[in-house]
Amino acid sequence: MTEHLVVVGGGQAAAQAIQTLRQQSFAGAITLLCEEPLPPYQRPPLSKKYLAGELPKERLLLRPESFYAERNVTVKLGCRAMELDRGRQTLRLSDGSMLAYDRLLLATGSRPRRLDVPGSTLRGVHYLRTVADVDGIVADLAPGARVALVGAGFIGLEAAAVLRQRGFAVTVLEALERVLGRAVGPEVSRFYADAHRAAGVELHTGTQVHSFGGESRVTAVKSADGRTFACDVAIIGIGVVPNVELAAAAGLACENGIVIDEFTRTADPHIVAAGDCTNHPLDGRRVRLESVPNAVHQARIAAGTLLGAPAPYSEVPWFWSDQYDLKLQIVGLSYGYDTVVVRGDPAARSFAAFYLRSGTLIAVDAINNPREFAHAKKLVAARAKLDPGMLRDLTVDLGTVAV
C-alpha cells in the first residue's frame, strides 16, 4: 500500500494504530495530528501518579518521539483539524494549511463536561484531563490549600485520594446519591465512600453545585440547598463528552460518539474511528467506552480494517482505578443486573462483587483481588451461568469454574 493515512488524535488509540500499521507492514505515508504540544501520552496517570508528583512528564509518553521518526511518521504537534471535506478527502488545519488523505483515522477522544454555573470561570477552578490541566492544579496547590472536588466518579475520587495523601484538606461533592454511581453497584459505592471518609475526606452525596464564590479567585463552592464549602482550589470532574464536532460537521453519523460498526468503519469507506470518541455495537446495544483497553483494541481493529483484514470487536470491556491502597478492577458492564453477590469481606479490603442477569454473569468489580479478576474475565466472556450460593462460598476456587 502506498496510500497516505492521516491520524487525528493524541491518545492511546492513535499511538496504538500507528504501531499496529507499521508492524503489519503498512508502507504508506502516515501523518499524526496532535492538538496538544505533546505526542500521544497516557491519561490515566494524570489523576494518580502525575498529580502526586511521582511520575515525570516524559514517562507519560506512550512512545518516545524517536518512535515516530524511526517509522517515518510525520507528527504535527499543537495542530488541530478544523474542517473535514469528505468529498475532496482533505483536512483544513489550524495553521491554515490543507492536508490530503487517502484514508483517515479519527481518534479525537473526549473532553471534560463543563459545569456552567456562576463563578465557574474564576481562577482556581480547574478541570483534569490534560498534562496542562494537572500542571495548573499543582501550581495552585499552596501549602495548606483546601481543595473541593465536584464529582465522585473515577477522576474525582482518584484525585481526592492523591490530594488527601499529600496532606490537603479535601471535600468531595457529588450530585448523585452515591459515589461511582454510574460505574459500580451500591455495595461497592458504600465501600469507597467509607474508605474516603476514613482517610479524612469530607464527602457529601446528593449535593448539587449552585455556584462558585469569590471575587477574582474561587473561595467556596455553594450548593443548591444553601450550604457553603470553603476552598482555595476547585476541581470539576463530572464526566466527559466525545469530540465529534469534526465528524458531525462533515456529515458523519454521531450519537454519543462517532457511530461505527464492529469493524470501526464509519459510513464513509475512507474513514474509520477508534477510542473514547466512538459509539459501537456491543452485546445487542450501542455503547461508548472510556478506557485504555477499549482504545487499544479498537485501534488494532481499525488498523486491520485499513489494511483490508477486518476483524470484529471481540473484547469484554474492562477498567481499573487506583485509590489509596485500593485497586479496583472491573470487567463487563453491569447495567440491567438483577442479582449481586459479594464474595469476600469488604472489611478485609479485598473482595469482589459479581453481577448476574437471569443467572448469567455479566460483570464483576474486584477490589484488591487480582486472582478473582482474572477468573472473572474468563467467566464474563463465556457468559457463564453461576449459582449465587456457589459464588458466596469462598472454598470454591473460581479457577476450576473459569472456562
Side-chain angles (χ1 to χ4, degrees):
M1 297 178 71
T2 58
E3 294 181 310
H4 180 208
L5 170 68
V6 175
V7 179
V8 182
Q12 192 85 46
Q16 182 62 57
I18 289 171
Q19 177 176 333
T20 302
L21 285 163
R22 289 307 194 212
Q23 286 176 335
Q24 298 299 319
S25 301
F26 174 73
I30 299 177
T31 299
L32 172 63
L33 304 179
C34 296
E35 187 172 343
E36 294 183 58
L38 293 171
Y41 64 87
Q42 307 172 71
R43 296 192 189 275
L46 294 180
S47 56
K48 307 178 188 73
K49 289 190 174 182
Y50 189 66
L51 179 61
E54 299 173 357
L55 189 70
K57 188 176 299 184
E58 57 270 18
R59 287 189 57 194
L60 289 173
L61 298 182
L62 288 162
R63 309 286 184 270
E65 293 193 47
S66 60
F67 168 89
Y68 303 99
E70 290 166 359
R71 286 156 182 80
N72 194 28
V73 177
T74 300
V75 180
K76 290 181 174 289
L77 300 179
C79 186
R80 182 178 182 182
M82 304 296 292
E83 184 179 2
L84 166 60
D85 187 328
R86 292 166 51 203
R88 292 184 173 87
Q89 292 184 217
T90 59
L91 290 162
R92 180 172 62 84
L93 308 183
S94 55
D95 62 7
S97 65
M98 301 295 292
L99 183 66
Y101 66 86
D102 295 299
R103 299 291 181 93
L104 178 64
L105 167 59
L106 297 175
T108 49
S110 56
R111 63 185 183 277
R113 187 180 301 280
R114 312 302 288 189
L115 180 59
D116 294 321
V117 298
S120 61
T121 59
L122 287 168
R123 288 190 300 115
V125 178
H126 298 271
Y127 292 86
L128 200 166
R129 181 65 179 172
T130 68
V131 167
D133 290 339
V134 180
D135 290 346
I137 291 169
V138 172
D140 260 359
L141 289 172
R146 299 161 300 176
V147 184
L149 286 132
V150 179
F154 289 128
I155 293 294
L157 293 188
E158 288 169 359
V162 168
L163 295 171
R164 190 71 197 97
Q165 288 175 309
R166 291 185 58 180
F168 295 102
V170 176
T171 299
V172 175
L173 309 176
E174 168 57 47
L176 298 180
E177 294 300 323
R178 58 188 181 89
V179 306
L180 300 175
R182 296 182 179 88
V184 302
E187 295 80 6
V188 178
S189 286
R190 282 195 294 272
F191 172 81
Y192 273 91
D194 290 345
H196 279 274
R197 288 185 173 117
V201 172
E202 185 180 334
L203 175 62
H204 301 271
T205 56
T207 303
Q208 295 275 354
V209 170
H210 172 269
S211 60
F212 294 90
E215 293 297 325
S216 61
R217 181 178 181 85
V218 68
T219 58
V221 183
K222 300 179 180 180
S223 65
D225 59 12
R227 288 176 291 170
T228 297
F229 303 90
C231 68
D232 304 293
V233 175
I235 303 171
I236 300 171
I238 56 172
V240 298
V241 294
N243 293 323
V244 301
E245 289 76 12
L246 183 69
L252 292 174
C254 296
E255 184 177 348
N256 186 30
I258 301 169
V259 175
I260 59 173
D261 66 9
E262 65 271 34
F263 303 103
T264 74
R265 298 177 300 199
T266 69
D268 188 315
H270 301 101
I271 302 176
V272 296
D276 288 12
C277 64
T278 65
N279 181 313
H280 70 277
L282 182 68
D283 292 337
R285 66 193 289 255
R286 297 199 69 87
V287 298
R288 186 177 64 81
L289 301 176
E290 301 160 13
S291 74
V292 168
N294 173 68
V296 170
H297 188 55
Q298 282 193 332
R300 289 172 175 159
I301 292 173
T305 296
L306 290 167
L307 293 168
Y313 191 99
S314 60
E315 182 154 292
V316 175
W318 62 280
F319 317 83
W320 80 91
S321 176
D322 295 312
Q323 300 168 42
Y324 307 110
D325 60 340
L326 304 169
K327 177 172 282 294
L328 169 63
Q329 294 172 291
I330 300 173
V331 59
L333 302 174
S334 60
Y335 69 90
Y337 73 91
D338 52 45
T339 303
V340 59
V341 176
V342 175
R343 180 175 166 88
D345 182 8
R349 296 172 75 85
S350 177
F351 68 101
F354 288 70
Y355 301 92
L356 302 136
R357 186 193 303 134
S358 300
T360 298
L361 185 67
I362 58 172
V364 175
D365 302 333
I367 294 88
N368 284 349
N369 205 325
R371 178 178 170 82
E372 296 282 61
F373 176 70
H375 297 328
K377 288 182 76 173
K378 296 177 181 178
L379 291 167
V380 172
R383 302 176 186 275
K385 289 276 189 179
L386 299 176
D387 175 66
M390 181 272 291
L391 285 174
R392 292 188 186 93
D393 186 351
L394 295 180
T395 66
V396 175
D397 181 0
L398 293 186
T400 63
V401 179
V403 292

